[in-house]
């Protein structure tokens, strides 16, 4: 079993839909949770990070962490075709740097 | 502000050869991280350099090595290339050593081993 599991997709949604992207993990030591967006032929760019449990909102994006269920989510409201990309979750234990990445979910937002 | 830059963009090598990949971090960033992104495997941590020293390495064989120069740029060397080394190699940098608040990645070097 991988430490971090992420559905590879692709996930296709119509423009304007609410998108839910998810990761599950097995290591209870993870404290830092991040979401990256990666466009084709580009490196990942940091979208959101959260520490421990709870929600964090930034514009159309909301990151949610449920440590009791070992489950994190990224919600995208009013999705746009420009949101079409691969979304990677990443996690790190407290006080360390070594991120464990999910394999990424490909998202397609159809105009 | 210039981001993390990597060169070359693409590299084609023959099995058994050596490959050298280069990375320039964001100005002022002292930590450089290397990741391998192989198809279907996600990003795998390779190496971390800070202040010219190798701080940690991932679960990769010794033929993956590198160094960091006094100007904080870095080089990744892969010796005795194997077909399965074909992947996107990503470099990232951070302002603080072992920064837990996210990296800034470059666009990567696509290495193809034939």
């Amino acid at each position: 079993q991988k430490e971090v599991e992420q559905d590879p997709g692709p996930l296709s949604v119509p423009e304007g839909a609410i998108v839910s992207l998810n990761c599950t993990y097995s290591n209870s030591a993870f404290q830092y949770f991040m979401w990256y967006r990666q466009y084709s032929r580009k490196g990942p760019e940091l979208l959101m990070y959260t520490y421990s449990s709870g929600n964090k909102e930034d514009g159309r994006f909301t990151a949610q962490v449920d440590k009791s269920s070992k489950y994190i989510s990224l919600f995208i409201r009013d999705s746009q075709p420009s949101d079409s990309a691969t979304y990677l979750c990443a996690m790190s234990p407290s006080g360390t740097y070594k991120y464990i990445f999910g394999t990424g979910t490909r998202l397609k937002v159809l105009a | 502000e210039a981001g993390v830059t990597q060169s070359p963009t693409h590299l084609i090598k023959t099995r058994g050869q050596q490959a050298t990949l280069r990375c320039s971090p964001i100005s002022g960033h002292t930590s450089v991280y290397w990741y391998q992104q192989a198809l279907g495997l996600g990003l795998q941590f390779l190496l971390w350099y800070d202040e010219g020293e190798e701080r940690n390495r991932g679960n990769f064989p010794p033929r993956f090595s590198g160094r960091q120069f006094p100007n904080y740029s870095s080089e990744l060397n892969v010796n005795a290339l194997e077909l399965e080394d074909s992947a996107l190699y990503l470099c990232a940098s951070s302002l603080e050593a072992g920064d837990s608040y996210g990296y800034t990645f470059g666009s990567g070097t696509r290495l193809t081993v034939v």
Side-chain angles (χ1 to χ4, degrees):
Chain A
Q1 183 192 7
K2 292 181 181 178
E3 267 189 295
V4 177
E5 298 275 3
Q6 189 174 9
D7 189 325
L11 176 63
S12 294
V13 300
E15 184 176 357
I18 296 174
V19 176
S20 173
L21 302 165
N22 310 296
C23 287
T24 57
Y25 62 95
S26 57
N27 187 347
S28 58
F30 289 142
Q31 296 281 355
Y32 296 87
F33 303 92
M34 281 140 284
W35 286 96
Y36 285 83
R37 177 175 61 195
Q38 186 174 21
Y39 291 113
S40 181
R41 304 181 188 283
K42 295 289 186 184
E45 59 176 317
L46 181 65
L47 270 180
M48 301 281 285
Y49 73 84
T50 51
Y51 171 72
S52 195
S53 286
N55 293 358
K56 184 172 183 178
E57 189 174 319
D58 184 1
R60 295 186 295 112
F61 299 91
T62 300
Q64 200 170 72
V65 174
D66 181 350
K67 291 190 71 181
S68 61
S69 301
K70 297 191 179 68
Y71 188 88
I72 69 170
S73 299
L74 177 71
F75 298 97
I76 306 174
R77 290 183 299 281
D78 187 25
S79 56
Q80 303 295 309
S82 58
D83 295 327
S84 298
T86 296
Y87 289 80
L88 303 161
C89 62
M91 309 177 189
S92 175
S94 177
T96 72
Y97 65 91
K98 196 185 294 186
Y99 297 109
I100 307 297
F101 282 82
T103 52
T105 299
R106 268 184 63 204
L107 172 67
K108 295 181 180 180
V109 181
L110 307 171
Chain B
E1 175 186 80
V4 177
T5 57
Q6 292 187 245
S7 64
T9 307
H10 294 90
L11 192 56
I12 300 175
K13 292 285 186 179
T14 303
R15 191 170 52 182
Q17 285 188 315
Q18 179 195 35
T20 299
L21 289 63
R22 296 180 176 82
C23 172
S24 293
I26 290 173
S27 178
H29 286 194
T30 61
S31 273
V32 170
Y33 313 82
W34 286 95
Y35 278 80
Q36 182 194 67
Q37 188 175 30
L39 201 61
L41 290 180
L43 273 76
Q44 305 287 318
F45 168 73
L46 265 168
L47 289 158
W48 170 30
Y49 291 95
D50 182 65
E51 298 285 359
E53 302 276 336
E54 181 182 302
R55 299 297 184 185
N56 212 316
R57 65 180 295 128
N59 190 24
F60 281 84
R63 58 189 186 83
F64 287 84
S65 65
R67 54 181 172 165
Q68 187 177 34
F69 299 99
N71 66 354
Y72 303 115
S73 67
S74 177
E75 188 175 273
L76 174 68
N77 295 295
V78 188
N79 294 319
L81 284 164
E82 300 178 2
L83 296 178
E84 53 264 34
D85 296 333
S86 295
L88 181 67
Y89 289 83
L90 291 160
C91 170
S93 72
S94 68
L95 183 60
E96 295 183 12
D99 189 354
S100 291
Y101 292 97
Y103 303 141
T104 301
F105 281 93
S107 292
T109 294
R110 173 76 58 187
L111 173 64
T112 302
V113 183
V114 298

